[in-house]
Amino acid sequence: MSGETQITIIGSLGSDPELRFTASGVPVANFDVASTPRTFDKQRNEWVDGEALWLHCTVWREFAQHVAESLSKGMRVIVQGNLKARSYQDRDGQKRTVHEVDVTEVGPSLRYATAAVTRSQSGQHSGQQQRPRQDPGVDPWAQQPSDQKPPF
């Protein structure tokens, strides 16, 4: 959508994603990400953590179920989405504004960890066509004469 404020945040999950369902049965998962800047203090000769930026994140539908099954508290993640401001009145009648991320992509950060990725069994997501898989035992380059260049 035009005019959206896109954001990418790298941080740690503050808790396990909470999976819930709307009254109509649509899955939604919520989680909080803390991004904490680190700077090197030359006087103390050590790294110092700054103030953490906490962002509340929301993800919908089958994507929500994938997040709830795959991520857990403390994991370092990369989140991309649209930053939204939401205003409301608190119990004391004061107007409050919170900033949240409507998530479009999320995954584990591999800077300090490894991950094994498996494709979900449902196959087709968001109208994407699933490409036919080639037999893993067939090597397409082995069938080419050695004097031909690859087709790319």
Side-chain angles (χ1 to χ4, degrees):
M1 190 183 311
S2 180
E4 298 278 355
T5 303
Q6 294 187 350
I7 186 171
T8 301
I9 184 169
I10 301 170
S12 299
L13 290 183
S15 60
D16 290 340
E18 179 186 352
L19 180 64
R20 296 177 296 130
F21 295 85
T22 65
S24 61
V26 177
V28 59
N30 295 297
F31 56 94
D32 294 310
V33 176
S35 180
T36 307
R38 297 193 90 200
T39 55
F40 189 76
D41 185 330
K42 291 181 182 179
Q43 292 177 341
R44 293 173 20 192
N45 198 33
E46 64 183 24
W47 288 95
V48 178
D49 288 340
E51 187 173 341
L53 169 67
W54 285 91
L55 283 173
H56 185 73
C57 300
T58 303
V59 61
W60 293 88
R61 296 176 184 74
E62 187 177 21
F63 191 9
Q65 293 173 301
H66 294 172
V67 166
E69 292 171 9
S70 303
L71 303 177
S72 58
K73 179 180 180 175
M75 289 180 98
R76 187 172 168 87
V77 294
I78 302 169
V79 177
Q80 186 173 39
N82 298 314
L83 186 62
K84 308 276 185 182
R86 184 173 55 87
S87 296
Y88 66 96
Q89 276 191 340
D90 67 12
R91 293 180 182 166
D92 298 329
Q94 299 291 319
K95 185 178 177 182
R96 303 280 185 196
T97 301
V98 294
H99 293 89
E100 302 171 324
V101 178
D102 187 12
V103 177
T104 56
E105 293 289 339
V106 62
S109 169
L110 301 180
R111 179 175 292 250
Y112 306 113
T114 61
V117 178
T118 55
R119 186 171 181 94
S120 70
Q121 294 301 314
S122 63
Q124 303 204 7
H125 302 282
S126 306
Q128 293 177 344
Q129 296 289 328
Q130 191 172 13
R131 292 189 300 228
R133 294 188 182 188
Q134 187 171 357
D135 181 358
V138 176
D139 181 357
W141 303 114
Q143 298 174 1
Q144 304 257 345
S146 60
D147 61 340
Q148 286 188 352
K149 293 183 180 180
F152 52 80

